[in-house]
Amino acid sequence: MSMEENGLPGPDNIIFGEIQVLLAEKRTALAGLRTGIAVFALPLSVLSALIATSRYYRIDRVMPLLLPLMLLNLGLVVLGTWLVFRSIRRIRHFEHRIRELSQKYRSLAQFIE
């Protein structure tokens, strides 16, 4: 009597399940990467708008407003950079783990790549 007849998954199904979980985690990391890029781009667009409208204001009059805005933009740039690098590191980790599984189980490699 095999494991599948007892209602338990076979070893191939367990490996496929693990790969599916790794791919789901990779998709989540890609979503984090997309979010990090968007958060990083927001301060750049705000600064572009400020530069484009700079002839309509005097820097000495708007400095009390400009300084907090620049600090907020700096925080967004740091957050976006952290999200991007964290996501890239996680994606590499998941790719490495999937490659290990495909090398270990050669019969499943054709389905993975």
Side-chain angles (χ1 to χ4, degrees):
M1 208 184 230
S2 70
M3 294 178 82
E4 291 172 346
E5 291 174 7
N6 290 336
L8 299 173
D12 288 348
N13 290 337
I14 292 173
I15 300 305
F16 273 131
E18 185 174 350
I19 290 171
Q20 285 179 336
V21 169
L22 289 170
L23 290 174
E25 289 290 330
K26 184 179 173 186
R27 280 191 305 273
T28 303
L30 286 169
L33 179 66
R34 183 181 62 226
T35 303
I37 292 170
V39 168
F40 188 81
L42 181 66
L44 298 177
S45 63
V46 169
L47 289 177
S48 297
L50 287 176
I51 291 170
T53 61
S54 65
R55 66 174 179 246
Y56 298 118
Y57 59 84
R58 290 185 25 202
I59 195 74
D60 57 337
R61 287 190 178 172
V62 295
M63 188 54 76
L65 298 173
L66 198 59
L67 190 60
L69 179 66
M70 291 301 156
L71 289 174
L72 179 65
N73 283 346
L74 178 66
L76 288 173
V77 166
V78 169
L79 176 64
T81 304
W82 178 76
L83 283 170
V84 166
F85 283 120
R86 180 176 178 263
S87 296
I88 289 172
R89 192 175 66 233
R90 291 182 71 207
I91 290 168
R92 285 183 179 176
H93 169 73
F94 296 134
E95 282 292 322
H96 179 70
R97 183 69 181 127
I98 290 170
R99 197 175 318 114
E100 282 179 351
L101 287 173
S102 67
Q103 288 174 355
K104 186 175 179 181
Y105 302 99
R106 286 290 183 191
S107 62
L108 302 177
Q110 64 183 348
F111 300 110
I112 296 171
E113 296 177 14

